[in-house]
Each structure stands twice: as structure tokens, then as C-alpha cells.
Amino acid sequence: MIQVQNLRKVFGSKVAVDDVSFSVEKGQVLGFLGPNGAGKSTSMRMVTGYFRPTSGSIKVGGIDMLEDPELAKRSIGYLPENAPLYSDMTVASFLGFCAEIRGLRGAAKSKAIDRVLELCFLENVRNQSVDTLSKGYRHRTCFAQSIIHDPEVLILDEPTDGLDPNQKHEVRGLIKRMGETKAIIFSTHILEEVEAACSRAIIIDRGKIVADGTPDQLKKLVPGAHSLDEVFRSITRPDTVK
Amino acid sequence: MKSRDLENTLAIFKREFLSYFNSPVLYVIVVIYLLASMGFTFFFGRILDSDNASLTQPFFFWHPWIYIVLAPAVGMRMWSEEHRLGTFELLMTMPLSPWQAIIGKFIAAALVWFISIALTFPVVITICWLGNPDPGPIMTGYAASFLYALGCLAVTSAASAFTRSQVVCFIVSVALCLLLTLIGYPGIVDTVARTLPASLESIVRFVSYLSFLDHFYEMTKGIFVFRDVLYFLSVIVVALLVTHLGLRAKRA
Ligand SMILES: Nc1ncnc2c1ncn2[C@@H]1O[C@H](COP(=O)(O)OP(=O)(O)OP(=O)(O)O)[C@@H](O)[C@H]1O
Ligand SMILES: [Mg+2]
């Protein structure tokens, strides 16, 4: 479903993403790992068509993102990093707006809204203004927006950021379940999540892929390591090191 | 394909238009607009003392100066707010073209001004009750007034595409609108034309011809010239093109 080849993004003189290639098929959940500033969000922004890559190619559902962005974007659901929302809307009206842009109207639209409100446990804030929601609820509202059209491809930038342990558990379960029928990419800093939900994981460091494999394969990369955590620390360098 | 374009534009328009009414800013601006446009008419324009049943001088005369400040106040949130909240990223990863969003938002702001301008109807009632005005100049005056507001709005849209700060957008837009107005202000144009060598006069006249004011006064006199309408439309098109460029630059 997602084919990314030799993706590169340069900001001024800074190389944020350097020659990244990967592909994700239906039924796969790909975890994106890497230290702060590694280029995870930048890669996702290119895959979703927000940033234009400096070079490289992106295909989503067989459609080239650079040639026909509008068509390619239809099959994607995206949760941006800071879960942006229109602060002057209620949860339901925000989801209604997103559904309309996704081409849902009338009964289909209200059904879609009800479905995601239930999936993301938002029913009791349905008519609350987005502005007054707590951080976790805001995050879930934006997550709800990403699955409102039941997309084939889901791209989630830190979907469990700011959620309480119960909700983290729910969202991981949801990602795992949806992963059976969709192609999903999600980024995270919580390594247990990778083991809990991913079929494959990529570790990015300074724009380059430094490891790629199933969670079990990654654990065997470093001799003597017992957890992903140790592997992560030994193959990536802290952001502060030059 | 065509109907989808329209549906997307409509969805953006609807959200944007409703969000104007969710913010107290709009109500404040509309009230100020009505107080200013009608207040000037009755106090400075002395519409009740004059024995001339015309709106050109007492009413429309003030409009450009009001729009220079109030149109950017309405339009400043257009894209700045989108950048500040980060919803711009959300919007640009949805299946719609930037043009649909630009036009949807612009029409929403335009409708806000259409309603505000329509609310000045008491002035028209007063003048009809007092005298027997020529309907021609009133109609072209309103058209000119609306086009002026749209011109200022389009300039604001362009400025807001470049910044996440509404304050910066407001200041830049007011400055640009003021500039576009003043280069056609008769007093200033004449002074500049006199101080510069005669050979440059045609350039000064040409620059003044590019100003909002020049085309506005022509229209309020009751002369509905296609050229003046075309002028405002091209200002809007150019400003929206700049908006598009600004948004593209934001996406690096
Ligand atoms: N619009 C931009 N202009 C300039 N540089 C940018 C821009 N966006 C990102 N960068 C730079 O690109 C690099 C990668 O950033 P990115 O946001 O992709 O990191 P990340 O892996 O998502 O980090 P985190 O884990 O903190 O979210 C950073 O060094 C960042 O400063
Ligand atoms: Mg990030």
C-alpha cells in the first residue's frame, strides 16, 4: 500500500531525512522509532503529502503522491504530531467537517461520526468545545478524525502521546486490530508499544534508517541485549552528540 | 470531479463562515463598522443638513478609510490562525486542493462583509425619505464599497498566508491597504506630480491609476465602468495567487 523510495528532505543546509526507503503492505503495522529530531515526523509529513520531498518517490495505494496528491490523500488517514484541532468547534462539529471533506454526507456522515466517537471513547464530550478538552481528549479527537473515513492507510505520529495508561492500552489494541486490514505507520518513543502492536519496526537516526526488522529481529541485532530499549540505546546516538 | 471541487469549497466555506459567528471579534467589528459608516454620514457628512439627496459624498466617501482598518481585522485570522493551531497541516493532508480552501475561506469573509454592508440600509431609507435620490449612484456606490472591502480582504488573505501571528498580519495588511489607497489620494498625487520633473508625471499618474481609491471614486459617481470592476477583480486574483504562493512556501 505504501511504497517509499530514496526519500530525502533538506531544510536549508540541514538534511532531515536522508535516503529512506521502505514499504508497508495491507495487514502490516510499521513502527517508526528514533531519537528526537531523527526525522520521523518529517518523513510522515512527506508521505502524507504535506511536505514536498527534496527527492525520492512516494506511492500510496499505487498512486504517486507527487503526481496526483488529491487522489492519493483520499486513502490516507493522518494524525499529525501535536493533534491540531479547530479550537472554536465542538468535537462533533469538528468530526463532521472532516467527514465532509472526506466526501461523507447525510446519513453516512452521522454514522461515521457515531462510529469514531464510540471507538475513541468520546461520546461524553460529543458536544463539548474542543477548546475546553483535556490534552488526552484532544489527542483522541484528532485520532478520531484520522479514522473517520475508514482509510486503507493510517499514518499516526505519536498516537499515544498524552494518553493515560488505560487509553494507551486501548489505542494500542485499536491499532493492532485495525492493522489486520490496513497498512499502518506509527511513530512512538515507547518501546513496549512496538512489541505490543507492530509487525515490523524501523529505527531512524539523523535521517537514516539504522535498523529494520520485526521486533524480535531487532532484539538480536545487538549481542547481549535483553530488551528493545538496550538495542535502541546502543545503535542510536543521543541528540546532543555531534 | 467538478462536483467534488464544489463540495470541498462549500465545506470549507461553511466551517469558516460559522466560525466567524463563534468569535466575539466579528460582532465588535460589525458594530464598529455600522457606527462608523453611519455616524460619519450623519455627523461629518451632515446628511440631514444638506439639501442634496445623494449618498456619494456623505456616505461612501468614508468607506475606504473604514475598510483599511476593519477588513484586515475580519480577515486576519484566515490563514494565520490555521498556521498557529497547526490545522493547516491537517487541512493540507486532506483530499482537497489549496485553491478550494483559499476560495472557500475568501468567500466566507466576503459574505461577512456583504451582510455588514447590507446592514447599512437605514442610511438608504433615510435618504429616500428625505428626498428623491437617483438610484444609480446608490447602487454603483454599494457595488464599489463591496469591491473595496473585497480588495482589502484579498490583501489580508495574502498577508495571513505568510505569518502565524494575527497581529503581524493585521499590521502588514493595514499598511498595504493604506498604501494602495494613498497612492491615489488626489492631494498626495498632485503634490508628488508637482515636485517631480514633468517628465515623470505620466509615471505618477500611472501609479495613482493602480490605487484602490481612483477606481472607487469613479464608481461612486454613478458611472459603472466595467474597467473599474475588472480592476478590483484583478487585484483579488493577484492577491489570492500570492496567498497560494505563501501557503506553498509554508509547506517547504
Ligand atoms: N519546517 C522545518 N524547517 C527546518 N527544519 C525542520 C523543519 N521541520 C523539521 N526540521 C528539522 O528536521 C529534523 C527532523 O525533525 P522531525 O520533526 O522529523 O524529528 P522527529 O523524529 O519527529 O523528532 P521527535 O521525536 O522530537 O518528534 C529536526 O532537526 C528539525 O529541526
Ligand atoms: Mg516528531
Side-chain angles (χ1 to χ4, degrees):
Chain A
M1 286 303 288
I2 309 171
Q3 273 109 25
V4 170
Q5 250 158 37
N6 307 103
L7 202 57
R8 208 176 135 81
K9 180 76 192 176
V10 182
F11 292 112
S13 61
K14 187 176 170 57
V15 183
V17 176
D18 192 3
D19 204 23
V20 164
S21 305
F22 59 83
S23 66
V24 188
E25 293 311 317
K26 228 184 191 114
Q28 282 190 332
V29 179
L30 177 70
F32 254 39
L33 306 176
N36 291 140
K40 302 180 296 295
S41 302
T42 306
S43 308
M44 290 182 159
R45 285 177 176 150
M46 287 191 283
V47 174
T48 51
Y50 178 61
F51 278 167
R52 182 166 257 283
T54 308
S55 65
S57 82
I58 300 159
K59 278 206 170 76
V60 179
I63 296 149
D64 195 307
M65 179 55 83
L66 301 173
E67 272 165 24
D68 193 349
E70 275 167 65
L71 193 62
K73 284 170 187 172
R74 268 187 224 178
S75 52
I76 304 180
Y78 176 44
L79 168 65
E81 190 161 29
N82 299 315
L85 301 168
Y86 289 106
S87 55
D88 55 356
M89 299 178 99
T90 66
V91 172
S93 63
F94 173 72
L95 293 174
F97 166 70
C98 296
E100 276 178 28
I101 296 273
R102 298 292 187 177
L104 298 167
R105 289 289 183 295
K109 175 177 137 186
S110 37
K111 236 173 87 183
I113 296 175
D114 289 340
R115 183 178 61 87
V116 295
L117 283 176
E118 195 192 321
L119 272 178
C120 302
F121 307 95
L122 290 165
E123 281 140 324
N124 55 341
V125 293
R126 188 187 181 109
N127 294 317
Q128 192 172 331
S129 160
V130 161
D131 218 16
T132 60
L133 290 178
S134 74
K135 182 178 172 186
Y137 275 93
R138 291 179 60 98
H139 218 90
R140 271 144 60 191
T141 306
C142 201
F143 182 64
Q145 160 279 133
S146 70
I147 54 174
I148 195 146
H149 53 304
D150 198 17
E152 293 181 290
V153 173
L154 251 187
I155 297 180
L156 309 168
D157 203 344
E158 304 192 20
T160 55
D161 181 36
L163 300 190
D164 66 44
N166 297 336
Q167 287 299 331
K168 277 201 172 85
H169 182 78
E170 290 293 345
V171 168
R172 276 175 216 160
L174 193 59
I175 291 174
K176 202 174 164 75
R177 256 178 290 134
M178 289 192 301
E180 287 161 16
T181 53
K182 299 181 197 304
I184 301 183
I185 303 180
F186 80 95
S187 74
T188 180
H189 290 299
I190 303 163
L191 296 172
E192 303 94 75
E193 237 158 52
V194 177
E195 286 169 278
C198 295
S199 52
R200 216 175 97 219
I202 286 178
I203 302 181
I204 301 183
D205 190 18
R206 285 155 209 239
K208 286 197 168 69
I209 295 184
V210 291
D212 180 352
T214 63
D216 286 334
Q217 284 171 336
L218 291 185
K219 269 197 244 175
K220 292 189 191 111
L221 273 181
V222 176
H226 300 292
S227 65
L228 267 181
D229 210 60
E230 286 173 49
V231 175
F232 184 88
R233 265 180 289 150
S234 63
I235 62 178
T236 61
R237 291 154 296 175
D239 202 27
T240 45
V241 175
K242 276 277 162 226
Chain B
M1 218 42 224
K2 265 271 188 281
S3 83
R4 215 183 146 103
D5 289 350
L6 199 67
E7 279 176 13
N8 285 344
T9 312
L10 215 69
I12 298 276
F13 161 79
K14 209 174 85 187
R15 196 210 75 75
E16 188 78 6
F17 187 67
L18 291 178
S19 88
Y20 277 112
F21 292 92
N22 278 338
S23 100
V25 178
L26 178 78
Y27 298 98
V28 174
I29 294 170
V30 171
V31 168
I32 293 178
Y33 170 70
L34 294 177
L35 286 178
S37 65
M38 297 204 257
F40 285 162
T41 308
F42 289 106
F43 293 108
F44 300 116
R46 301 202 156 271
I47 192 172
L48 300 178
D49 301 342
S50 81
D51 46 2
N52 184 0
S54 148
L55 285 179
T56 307
Q57 266 303 315
F59 182 60
F60 294 120
F61 177 82
W62 305 102
H63 283 197
W65 311 101
I66 298 173
Y67 292 136
I68 287 172
V69 177
L70 293 188
V74 167
M76 64 186 180
R77 48 185 294 293
M78 240 187 263
W79 291 101
S80 304
E81 186 72 352
E82 205 89 34
H83 290 314
R84 191 179 66 81
L85 293 173
T87 44
F88 181 60
E89 183 173 353
L90 204 58
L91 206 58
M92 291 297 121
T93 51
M94 287 187 173
L96 84 175
S97 84
W99 277 115
Q100 292 159 5
I102 292 171
I103 292 170
K105 274 172 180 279
F106 184 71
I107 296 176
L111 186 59
V112 165
W113 274 111
F114 187 82
I115 295 171
S116 311
I117 293 173
L119 288 177
T120 61
F121 68 91
V123 171
V124 181
I125 293 179
T126 310
I127 197 96
C128 289
W129 181 59
L130 286 178
N132 202 357
D134 181 0
I138 294 184
M139 267 160 8
T140 57
Y142 266 110
S145 174
F146 185 49
L147 284 172
Y148 209 105
L150 293 190
C152 293
L153 268 183
V155 168
T156 312
S157 163
S160 75
F162 287 90
T163 174
R164 52 187 284 137
S165 156
Q166 293 194 19
V167 177
V168 171
C169 170
F170 178 75
I171 293 170
V172 171
S173 320
V174 170
L176 283 175
C177 292
L178 195 62
L179 184 76
L180 280 168
T181 303
L182 285 183
I183 55 172
Y185 193 70
I188 295 180
V189 175
D190 291 338
T191 317
V192 173
R194 246 182 287 124
T195 48
L196 287 177
S199 55
L200 290 177
E201 175 158 354
S202 59
I203 297 178
V204 175
R205 295 288 165 207
F206 177 73
V207 170
S208 85
Y209 184 72
L210 289 180
S211 96
F212 282 10
L213 214 52
D214 201 60
H215 298 270
F216 177 78
Y217 284 139
E218 285 299 309
M219 281 181 78
T220 53
K221 283 179 205 150
I223 320 159
F224 194 82
V225 184
F226 185 63
R227 199 182 55 196
D228 297 322
V229 177
L230 200 66
Y231 164 79
F232 278 108
L233 291 183
S234 37
V235 166
I236 293 167
V237 169
V238 169
L240 293 187
L241 275 168
V242 175
T243 309
H244 187 79
L245 282 181
L247 296 182
R248 212 165 65 178
K250 282 277 171 188
R251 289 164 71 188

